[in-house]
Amino acid sequence: MSSKKKIKILKSDITQLDVDAIVNAANESLLGGGGVDGAIHRAAGRELLYECETLNGCKTGDAKITKGYNLSAKHVIHTVGPIWRGGENNEAELLANCYKKSLELAANNSLKTIAFPNISTGIYGYPKSDAAEIALNEVLRFLNHNESLSKVIFAIFDDENFELYKKLYKNRV
């Protein structure tokens, strides 16, 4: 199957997806927060918080995996995206690493399906178009060199990002 056929762009609530892993756009503490992070923690239940407390946080650009608890997803991959500071502080490299490390964790744990939110584009202020470009590039790069994943979903919550991802993806097909 071609790499592009393994990608799906859905306008959906990531916490409702039945996949092997959903990715959490977490903060460095991994102890919950706002946006996607808060929604995932609420949906997964207190056990997720308890497991996250044992992980000693996560550095920006890195990722860690936990169980999914009350989610349909079997696992949560927590990644910490960069805060946008104008683009001169390795933000692009750090954001690319979020996708790369999350995909590697999925492959290393024999997972077949994974769903991503829009990492760093909320309160962290990363420009949406640039972030979407990085996300698609990293996922395609990974899929072109690794056969382990059967499906990568971009779970988009808002109309602006949904249209942006559809347009960028269409231009690659």
Side-chain angles (χ1 to χ4, degrees), residues 17-80:
L17 297 177
D18 187 10
V19 291
D20 292 334
I22 60 172
V23 176
N24 180 14
N27 59 49
E28 289 186 346
S29 77
L30 300 184
L31 302 180
V36 171
D37 191 12
I40 289 172
H41 272 268
R42 284 189 298 278
R46 303 246 347 125
E47 295 87 358
L48 179 61
L49 175 62
Y50 300 149
E51 185 175 355
C52 285
E53 288 174 339
T54 70
L55 299 179
N56 299 314
C58 185
K59 292 186 171 146
T60 301
D62 204 355
K64 294 189 176 181
I65 190 168
T66 62
K67 293 177 187 170
Y69 298 100
N70 296 333
L71 295 162
S72 296
K74 297 168 193 70
H75 300 277
V76 178
I77 296 175
H78 308 266
T79 191
V80 182

Side-chain angles (χ1 to χ4, degrees), residues 10 19 33 39 47-48 51-53 63 70 79-80 82 90 92 104 110 119 123 125 127 133 141 149 173:
L10 302 177
V19 291
E47 295 87 358
L48 179 61
E51 185 175 355
C52 285
E53 288 174 339
N70 296 333
T79 191
V80 182
N90 295 324
E104 288 171 352
S110 301
I119 299 168
I123 196 166
E133 192 76 43
R141 182 177 296 123
L149 293 172
V173 178

Side-chain angles (χ1 to χ4, degrees), residues 101-111 142 146 148:
K101 300 274 185 164
S102 296
L103 292 162
E104 288 171 352
L105 266 178
N108 292 341
N109 284 276
S110 301
L111 307 181
F142 184 85
N146 189 309
S148 65

Side-chain angles (χ1 to χ4, degrees), residues 9 118 121 126-133 136 156 158-172:
I9 300 165
N118 304 104
T121 62
Y126 210 105
K128 292 177 181 183
S129 180
D130 294 346
E133 192 76 43
L136 283 166
I156 313 298
D158 66 286
D159 291 331
E160 181 184 358
N161 271 315
F162 183 66
E163 293 304 321
L164 181 61
Y165 270 77
K166 283 194 330 186
K167 179 182 170 191
L168 289 172
Y169 179 72
K170 184 180 176 186
N171 290 339
R172 286 178 163 74

